Structures are given as structure tokens and as C-alpha cells.
């Protein structure tokens, strides 16, 4: 299908089906079942998963394939948002031109940052990208205030020209749309004691994410993807084979910068705001964590990582002390206080602690990320769930290690 | 005039004169062996040819053009491929991918995106890579990763990668070290066959005299950074100076 082999096609199909049925999948618990806080906060959460999925998939093209760890990808995310909002202000509220400009502008920024940073590798490359991103962040706050609107952030206003949309008499701000279909409009379906919402914004993000994912699969399987893996594996051999690695790494850097820009543009398309915070180093770190948590160098890993982190963020930050009290009210009074106090450290504001712990556990016990965990589970079930026997374990000396980078 | 001309090359590492005053002329379409005891400077000499090291003195020309000051990838593009003493392969990639890369890379090394087609869509290139693996007797290992191979297999793989480039000058640094006897003989046969089929010049460093005398048209003996003698294999065998400096202490001919 579409130039993919059988396994990849199946894989893509699963992703498409999962996305299409998200409104159902994200509502497993009925509204009155008491577990409804575990329902995914659709559509906001799912939009975020799709958008950050794109961000992480793009980041993985650079980090997973070439091994160059960028700590400054948030610069492209922020750049994409600014570009999109400017498009909304100047041209039209239609999101298509906005996200196109996002990709172009962040691609150009990536050419400059990449060209300089890629002169170094390893930790020096990481530090250079981090420095560039922090520079962008600082500039967005200071000298570039006329473009970025500084601390307030770039917002729509009634006096914006919006050349293509023409003048409106409306006194409220216009909403982003795709050829007239508003991004925030949704169709609600009530059934089975649940409300299923079909939101335009989510489906738009989902379609873009699927396209972005499809392109990533093609890239992973292409000769170009193979060259990028070769760069990660042995640059010396590349050089002594007549290949200058710089154009390859730069191309990967720009492509992943454009993915980040696209994600930034989509964030603005869902909520037409752009602030310098999006360029902060914590945002750069988040995409690194997503990719590693899911499994760097794998196709599914970054999407999985983005999903897990955004889901945890959404669910855990919603659980406050009163929710905890309602959970543990059956405990004796003194004990209840203690238990609630402990859990409260890991939820609400403290959800980063949960994230940190999860990340630590995954990196320590599953160096290949969640994808490796899934693979191990599959192996276990194939053996009929038998616990691994020492004698069963493959002998590393005599079994060829399968290539990484698959799935 | 040989295809490769090394004139007065010297290289110092701190207090150690690794190469003294090396003159070497390799004729086109011949196999030139360089032998000598450990630490004689053989690998250092190759490093000076491929741009890994820049010699302190002297000149190196390939086909009339100087290679000094050029980057490794530029020198490779001139037509020089090298098999390293410690195998340099892509450890994370499969054996097949290892060979596919030089097959995809153009001789000029030009950057090509190729980002939207799959590898299977290029049957010519895949066939060439498969043929290369059949030639070095490794086709059944094509799905293994490079790092899981034995040392001898790594070397055969690296040789396949270099041969896939169709080099004009192939530099081999101890190509059979770490190989089983049978594989060594296969390698000799392969190199003999390549030599007959193609316009290719080879410079080969080797400790295994069986390999040297099976392949070489000319032999240079290097000791302590200076060439001792250069002659045909038959003359080298009986040369008293060589026996004294090298053969006497390591191997019987
Ligand atoms: N980069 C370097 N820095 C310092 N000394 C070096 C370097 N490379 C080689 N040498 C020294 O130069 C001398 C020649 O080394 P070289 O590797 O060329 O020997 P060789 O003839 O290839 O030996 P072998 O048969 O063991 O491979 C050795 O004494 C070695 O220790
Ligand atoms: Mg050596």
C-alpha cells in the first residue's frame, strides 16, 4: 500500500484506525462510573497527543537515525507558532497557509542553526543547539518584541488586516478554520451513557499527523534513512567511502526542524496564541524525554512517548487533594491524611515527579523504551506466558543480534 | 610513472620517527605488497595516503594529482578505497545494508536525497550488493548486524564494501588477519579474480607470507620507517637483508 511493504502498511492502517476511533476509545468509562477522571480529556488532550506526536516523530528523524541529540528543538516549535499567528493576523484565519508558513520559516531557521551546530558532534552539538534555542527565547522577549509581542505573547486582535478574509463587523475575534469549517466546532453523539465528541480540530491534527507519520515511515525505509543510520553507526567509514556526512545530517536536521515547525503551527491553529515560553529549554527537554521514553530510533516510539506523557500530564495534574480524599475516605482518619499527603506529592502540581520516576524506571529497565517493553511482552505471550528460563535465553554469542531500528 | 607515487615521505610522532624517507612507486594494475615487522610504519604509510595523517615531509600523488591536504572523502572520490587494520564497518546495520551503502553512493560521493523511494525499488543496486556478498561468501549472513560478526567476517565484509565502490586503487591493511585458513584461501582467490577481471591496482600489507607470495607482483620491505628493498617476490625470498631484518625473526618462507 502506498509504496510500503506489508508490515508497514498494516502498521499504518492500525494507526489510522486508532486515530479515527479516538472519540470512542478515549471514553472507556461512563460519566457516572466514578472513574471518569481517567477518560482522556478529549478533544484537547488528543489534539495535543497528535501535535506532540508530530513533534516527536520529527525529532526522532534527527536523534533516532543520526544520533545527533538536539536540545534546542523548541526553538522551531515556537517559531512555527509565531509564523502561524502572523498568518492569521495578516492573511486569513484559514489554517492551511498558516501551517505552510510555519514549516517554511522553521525550516529556514533550522538551516542556519543546523549549519553551525553540525560542525560539532556529541555533547558539543547538544550544547550549541541549546544555546541557540535559549538565544531565540531571549530575543523573543527582548529585541524582537515588535514581532513577538514580548511577554504578553502574540495574539489576534480585531484590528488585524486579514487581507483574504475581508472586513467583518463582528465584535468578537474570529476563529481558525479550514475553508470555513471552524476548528473548535464539534459534533456530539450521546450513547451508552457517554458523550462522544467529534471535533474538527482533532481530526484536522490527526490527518496531518498521519501524513507526517507516513512520510516518516517512507524516510526510515529509504536509502536516505539508511545513510542517516550509517552516520550514527560510523562516520569514519562514511568518510573513507567518499561520503561527506554533513549534507545528510543537515538535511535530517532541517526535516526535523520542519516537523517541529508544523507542530508549532498546529498548536497555534488550535489556539491562536504564541508565546516565547514555547521556546524554553524545558520544551526542548520534553521532546527528548518523549522520544527516549517511547523508544528512540523506532517508528512507533515517539508517538507512544508523546501519548503517554500528554496523557499522564492531563490525568495526573487533574487529581487534586479533594479527589484523593474522595478516593481514600474509607481509610481511618489519621491514615487517610498520610496516604493523601503522599499521593498528593505525585499528582496535581507534583505530576512531574511521577513523570521523572516513570522515565527513570523505563530508561533503567527498558533501555529501548516502551517499544522494547511491548516487544518483550509479545515474546512472553508467544512462549505461552512461560516465565523466561535461563536456559531459554538466547546465547548472545551464537544468535545474531537483530538490527535495531525496526518498528 | 606509477599510478601512486610516494616521494620522500616522513612522519614523526613526538620522539618517534615512524616514517623516515619513504619512496614508493606502485605501477598501474599490479599488486604491490608492503611487508615488515610490527611497528615498521606500514599502517602509518597508508594513513598518509588516505588523508588520515598528513606527512611532515614529502609528496604523495595519485594518477598525477597530489592527495596531500585533501579530505578523506575527497581522496576516496579520486578512486582510493581502504580496508582498515581494525575493521571499520557499520556495526548497527545489517551486513546487506553495509554493502548497500557503497552501492548507493555514487562514485563522486555526491549527496542525493533518495528520501522517498524504498530500497527495494532499486533492483540493480540490490543485485549488485547481493553479488558482492556472494563473492565474499557472506550472503547467508546478510541479515546479521555488523557488530555481531567475527573479526574475519568483518574484514571480508569491509572488503566487499570497498570492492563495491569499484576503486582504482585498493589499499588492504592485513586483510586476512583473524581469518580461518579456508577463508584466507577464499580471500586470495577473490582478490586474484578481481585482479584479472578489473582494472585495479592493489597495495597490500600482510604478515601472512602465503598471501603475499600468492598475490604480489612486487614487494617492498619496510623496517623502522624506511624501505629496505623493493623487488619481485622471487628475489625477495632469497634476499639476505630481508631475512635478517624481518623474515628470520618471524616467519620461514
Ligand atoms: N597516532 C599515533 N601516535 C603516536 N604513535 C603512533 C601513532 N600511530 C602509530 N604510531 C607508532 O608508529 C609506529 C608505526 O606504527 P604502525 O601502526 O604504522 O606500524 P605497522 O607497521 O602497521 O605495525 P603492525 O604490523 O603492528 O600493524 C609504532 O611504533 C606506533 O606505535
Ligand atoms: Mg599496521
Amino acid at each position: 500500500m502506498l509504496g510500503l511493504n506489508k508490515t508497514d502498511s498494516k502498521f499504518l492502517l492500525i494507526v489510522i484506525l486508532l486515530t479515527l476511533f479516538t472519540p470512542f476509545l478515549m471514553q472507556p468509562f461512563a460519566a457516572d462510573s466514578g472513574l471518569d477522571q481517567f477518560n482522556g480529556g478529549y478533544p484537547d488532550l488528543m489534539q495535543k497527543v497528535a501535535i506532540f506526536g508530530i513533534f516527536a516523530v520529527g525529532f526522532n528523524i534527527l536523534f533516532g537515525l543520526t544520533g545527533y541529540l538536539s536540545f534546542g528543538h523548541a526553538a522551531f516549535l515556537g517559531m512555527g507558532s509565531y509564523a502561524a499567528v502572523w498568518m492569521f493576523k495578516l492573511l486569513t484565519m484559514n489554517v492551511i497557509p498558516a501551517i505552510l508558513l510555519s514549516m517554511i520559516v522553521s525550516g529556514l531557521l533550522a538551516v542556519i542553526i543546523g549549519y553551525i551546530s553540525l560542525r560539532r558532534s556529541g555533547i558539543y552539538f547538544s550544547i550549541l543547539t541549546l544555546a541557540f534555542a535559549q538565544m531565540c527565547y531571549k530575543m523573543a522577549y527582548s529585541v524582537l518584541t515588535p514581532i513577538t509581542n514580548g511577554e504578553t505573547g502574540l495574539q489576534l486582535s480585531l484590528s488585524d488586516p486579514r487581507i483574504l478574509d475581508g472586513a467583518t463587523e463582528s465584535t468578537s475575534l474570529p476563529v481558525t478554520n479550514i475553508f470555513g469549517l471552524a476548528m473548535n466546532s464539534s459534533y456530539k453523539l450521546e450513547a451508552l451513557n457517554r458523550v462522544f465528541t467529534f471535533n474538527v480540530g482533532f481530526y484536522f491534527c490527526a490527518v496531518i499527523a498521519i501524513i507526517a507519520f507516513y512520510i516518516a515511515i517512507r524516510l526510515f525505509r529509504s536509502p536516505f534513512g539508511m545513510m542517516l543510520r550509517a552516520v550514527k553507526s560510523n562516520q569514519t567509514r562514511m568518510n573513507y567511502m567518499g561520503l561527506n556526512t554533513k549534507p545528510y545530517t543537515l538535511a535530517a536536521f532541517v526535516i526535523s526542524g520542519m516537523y517541529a515547525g508544523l507542530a508549532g503551527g498546529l498548536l497555534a491553529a488550535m489556539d491562536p496564541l504564541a508565546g516565547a515560553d514555547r521556546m524554553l529549554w524545558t520544551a526542548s527537554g520534553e521532546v527528548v524525554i518523549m522520544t527516549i521514553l517511547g523508544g528512540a530510533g523506532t517508528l512507533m516510539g515517539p508517538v507512544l512517548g508523546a501519548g503517554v506523557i500528554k496523557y499522564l500530564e492531563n490525568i495526573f495534574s487533574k487529581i487534586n487533594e479533594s479527589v484523593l480524599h474522595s478516593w481514600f475516605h474509607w481509610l481511618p482518619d489519621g491514615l487517610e491524611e498520610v496516604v493523601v499527603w503522599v499521593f498528593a506529592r505525585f499528582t496535581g502540581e507534583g505530576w512531574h515527579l511521577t513523570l521523572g520516576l516513570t522515565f527513570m524506571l523505563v530508561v533503567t529497565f527498558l533501555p529501548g523504551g516502551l517499544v522494547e517493553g511491548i516487544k518483550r511482552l509479545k515474546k512472553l505471550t508467544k512462549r505461552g506466558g512461560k516465565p523466561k528460563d535461563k536456559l531459554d535465553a538466547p546465547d548472545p554469542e551464537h544468535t545474531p543480534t537483530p538490527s535495531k531500528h525496526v518498528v | 610513472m606509477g599510478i601512486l607515487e610516494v616521494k620522500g615521505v616522513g612522519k614523526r610522532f613526538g620522539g618517534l620517527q615512524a616514517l623516515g624517507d619513504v619512496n614508493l612507486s606502485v605501477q598501474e594494475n599490479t599488486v604491490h605488497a608492503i611487508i615488515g615487522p610490527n611497528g615498521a610504519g606500514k599502517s602509518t604509510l597508508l594513513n598518509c595516503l588516505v588523508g588520515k595523517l598528513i606527512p611532515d615531509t614529502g609528496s604523495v600523488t595519485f594518477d598525477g594529482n597530489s592527495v596531500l591536504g585533501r579530505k578523506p572523502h575527497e581522496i576516496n572520490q579520486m578512486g582510493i578505497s581502504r580496508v582498515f587494520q581494525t575493521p571499520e564497518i557499520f556495526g548497527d546495520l545489517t551486513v546487506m545494508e553495509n554493502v548497500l551503502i557503497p552501492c548507493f553512493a555514487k562514485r563522486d560521493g555526491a549527496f542525493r536525497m533518495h528520501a522517498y523511494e524504498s530500497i527495494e525499488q532499486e533492483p540493480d543496486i540490490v543485485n549488485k550488493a547481493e553479488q558482492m556478498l556472494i563473492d565474499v561468501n557472506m550472503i547467508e549472513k546478510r541479515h546479521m548486524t555488523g557488530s555481531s560478526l567475527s573479526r574475519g567476517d568483518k574484514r571480508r565484509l569491509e572488503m566487499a564494501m570497498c570492492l563495491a565502490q569499484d576503486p582504482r586503487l585498493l589499499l588492504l591493511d592485513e586483510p586476512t588477519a583473524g581469518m580461518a585458513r579456508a577463508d584466507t584461501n577464499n580471500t586470495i582467490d577473490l582478490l586474484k579474480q578481481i585482479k584479472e577481471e578489473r582494472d585495479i591496482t592493489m597495495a597490500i600489507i600482510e604478515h601472512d607470507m602465503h598471501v603475499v607470495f600468492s598475490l604480489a607482483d612486487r614487494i617492498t620491505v619496510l623496517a623502522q620507517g624506511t624501505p629496505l628493498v623493493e623487488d619481485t617476490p622471487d628475489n625477495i625470498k632469497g634476499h639476505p637483508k630481508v631475512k635478517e631484518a624481518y623474515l628470520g625473526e618471524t616467519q620461514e618462507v
Side-chain angles (χ1 to χ4, degrees):
Chain A
M1 184 179 82
L2 295 165
L4 298 181
N5 66 27
K6 247 192 179 160
T7 16
D8 288 343
S9 308
K10 226 199 277 169
F11 191 46
L12 185 68
L13 221 71
I14 293 173
V15 172
I16 292 175
L17 288 178
L18 279 180
T19 358
L20 286 182
F21 291 105
T22 300
F24 300 105
L25 296 172
M26 292 314 285
Q27 304 279 79
F29 307 110
D32 51 7
S33 66
L35 287 167
D36 55 322
Q37 64 262 51
F38 288 108
N39 281 341
Y42 179 85
D44 285 5
L45 172 64
M46 290 323 291
Q47 284 172 2
K48 267 195 198 147
V49 170
I51 292 172
F52 281 87
I54 295 173
F55 190 19
V57 164
F59 180 78
N60 190 41
I61 290 173
L62 179 71
F63 175 55
L65 290 180
T66 68
Y68 279 82
L69 176 57
S70 160
F71 259 109
H73 256 50
F76 309 122
L77 188 77
M79 194 64 159
S81 291
Y82 281 125
V85 176
W86 269 112
M87 215 58 171
F88 295 141
K89 286 168 88 70
L90 296 179
L91 200 63
T92 164
M93 288 305 285
N94 190 330
V95 293
I96 301 287
I99 60 172
L100 285 180
L101 187 74
S102 301
M103 288 171 71
I104 293 168
V105 173
S106 21
L108 290 176
L109 183 66
V111 171
I112 300 167
I113 296 185
Y115 186 81
I116 300 169
S117 306
L118 285 165
R119 294 176 157 264
R120 292 279 168 271
S121 59
I123 187 78
Y124 301 101
F125 169 80
S126 305
I127 299 290
L128 275 172
T129 49
L130 175 64
F132 271 114
Q134 285 299 86
M135 239 160 72
C136 292
Y137 168 72
K138 284 283 170 209
M139 269 160 45
Y141 261 138
S142 52
V143 281
L144 294 179
T145 305
I147 302 173
T148 61
N149 202 19
E151 278 183 55
T152 331
L154 196 59
Q155 288 168 343
L156 300 179
S157 83
L158 283 173
S159 57
D160 291 331
R162 271 187 279 283
I163 301 165
L164 289 185
D165 287 359
T168 50
E169 284 88 58
S170 164
T171 50
S172 63
L173 286 171
V175 291
T176 51
N177 64 62
I178 174 163
F179 304 114
L181 196 59
M183 281 291 146
N184 58 8
S185 63
S186 37
Y187 166 75
K188 282 191 199 307
L189 176 78
E190 272 186 60
L192 302 165
N193 201 7
R194 298 161 172 81
V195 185
F196 299 112
T197 324
F198 298 88
N199 174 268
V200 174
F202 164 69
Y203 277 103
F204 178 69
C205 291
V207 168
I208 303 269
I210 288 170
I211 295 171
F213 189 65
Y214 167 74
I215 292 174
I217 299 182
R218 293 293 298 251
L219 207 141
F220 263 61
R221 302 292 185 239
S222 71
F224 176 67
M226 185 172 70
M227 291 291 180
L228 295 183
R229 285 186 285 133
V231 169
K232 179 180 184 177
S233 185
N234 191 342
Q235 290 221 29
T236 315
R237 194 11 109 196
M238 289 289 271
N239 284 327
Y240 288 102
M241 218 141 59
L243 292 162
N244 186 2
T245 52
K246 188 87 184 273
Y248 290 95
T249 47
L250 186 60
F253 193 88
V254 173
I255 292 171
S256 80
M258 286 171 78
Y259 268 74
L262 172 64
L266 284 174
L267 280 178
M270 297 303 112
D271 182 12
L273 278 176
D277 282 353
R278 240 165 234 173
M279 293 185 164
L280 199 58
W281 64 272
T282 47
S284 299
E286 194 179 19
V287 74
V288 178
I289 292 179
M290 282 173 182
T291 309
I292 295 178
L293 184 75
T298 63
L299 276 168
M300 203 57 219
V303 184
L304 213 60
V308 167
I309 288 185
K310 286 295 156 194
Y311 179 78
L312 284 184
E313 180 182 14
N314 199 58
I315 303 302
F316 276 80
S317 54
K318 265 198 305 198
I319 303 175
N320 53 25
E321 297 218 2
S322 61
V323 176
L324 287 171
H325 275 292
S326 72
W327 282 3
F328 295 110
H329 62 89
W330 48 273
L331 284 171
D333 262 358
L335 193 59
E336 183 187 341
E337 294 302 313
V338 175
V339 171
V340 167
W341 185 86
V342 171
F343 273 84
R345 297 313 107 199
F346 292 90
T347 55
E349 298 274 277
W351 90 273
H352 278 112
L353 208 53
T354 315
L355 174 64
L357 274 176
T358 320
F359 186 66
M360 236 168 61
L361 289 174
V362 168
V363 171
T364 317
F365 295 106
L366 293 171
L370 295 173
V371 167
E372 190 186 327
I374 294 174
K375 264 193 214 153
R376 285 199 199 168
L377 278 181
K378 259 195 198 157
K379 245 191 208 160
L380 272 182
T381 45
K382 257 193 199 151
R383 289 157 184 258
K386 255 191 292 173
K388 235 195 220 170
D389 185 331
K390 230 190 177 172
L391 287 172
D392 270 358
D395 178 358
E397 287 276 323
H398 297 110
T399 338
T401 10
S403 175
K404 300 170 193 171
H405 304 298
V406 277
V407 170
Chain B
M1 243 317 249
I3 189 166
L4 179 75
E5 291 284 338
V6 178
K7 289 212 178 81
V9 163
K11 181 76 196 171
R12 268 193 105 78
F13 295 116
L16 177 82
Q17 188 78 40
L19 291 178
D21 175 32
V22 179
N23 292 296
L24 188 71
S25 172
V26 178
Q27 301 304 311
E28 198 160 358
N29 297 336
T30 61
V31 176
H32 198 118
I34 300 165
I35 60 172
N38 290 109
K42 305 180 296 293
S43 299
T44 305
L45 178 61
L46 288 203
N47 287 342
C48 291
L49 305 184
V50 296
K52 193 172 179 183
L53 289 175
I54 298 170
D56 304 330
T57 57
S59 69
V60 180
T61 55
F62 176 71
D63 205 16
N65 302 309
S66 173
V67 306
L68 298 185
R70 289 183 204 243
K71 296 210 175 95
H73 70 265
E74 293 166 342
I75 294 176
N76 178 281
Q77 286 165 20
M78 293 167 79
I80 304 180
S81 290
R82 173 175 180 187
V83 174
F84 284 82
Q85 189 166 359
T86 355
E88 290 277 1
I89 56 169
F90 302 112
D92 299 331
L93 273 57
T94 64
V95 167
M96 184 64 184
E97 286 171 328
N98 266 279
V99 185
L100 276 170
I101 286 174
C103 293
F104 266 107
K106 271 189 183 162
R107 177 72 260 175
D108 62 3
F111 168 69
R112 291 186 301 171
M113 269 294 275
H114 269 320
Y116 206 68
E117 59 210 60
S118 74
I119 292 162
E120 295 86 40
Q121 280 167 336
E122 303 261 7
D124 290 352
I125 291 175
V126 174
N127 288 343
K128 185 180 171 192
E130 272 172 359
Q131 190 53 49
M132 231 35 260
L133 284 178
I134 291 169
D135 285 351
V136 297
N137 219 343
M138 284 191 67
I139 190 74
E140 74 282 6
K141 292 182 177 148
R142 64 185 176 280
H143 295 306
M144 287 172 75
T145 52
S147 55
S148 63
L149 297 175
S150 72
R151 209 172 145 82
D153 281 351
K154 279 183 185 162
R155 205 158 261 132
R156 284 194 293 168
L157 174 60
E158 197 181 0
M159 214 177 313
M161 289 159 77
C162 287
L163 287 172
Q165 287 204 297
D166 268 321
R168 294 180 62 200
L169 174 64
L170 179 63
L171 305 173
L172 299 147
D173 200 340
E174 304 191 19
T176 67
M179 270 187 204
R181 190 80 241 170
D183 290 337
T184 303
N185 288 335
N186 283 339
T187 307
I188 295 173
D189 292 343
L190 171 69
L191 291 175
K192 268 187 182 157
Q193 185 196 338
I194 298 277
K195 181 178 148 186
E196 267 158 37
E197 285 172 2
R198 303 187 189 177
D199 282 337
I200 188 170
T201 313
M202 298 187 209
I204 176 167
I205 294 176
E206 188 54 74
H207 283 297
D208 186 335
M209 288 305 132
H210 173 58
V211 179
V212 172
F213 288 114
S214 312
L215 287 168
D217 299 310
R218 282 194 86 76
I219 298 176
T220 296
V221 181
L222 205 64
Q224 283 155 20
T226 33
L228 227 50
V229 273
E230 194 209 304
D231 218 324
T232 58
D234 289 338
N235 292 341
I236 292 283
K237 270 183 199 170
H239 207 290
K241 248 177 151 180
V242 177
K243 274 196 171 148
E244 178 198 318
Y246 177 56
L247 300 175
E249 66 181 48
T250 52
Q251 236 163 331
E252 280 301 313
V253 181

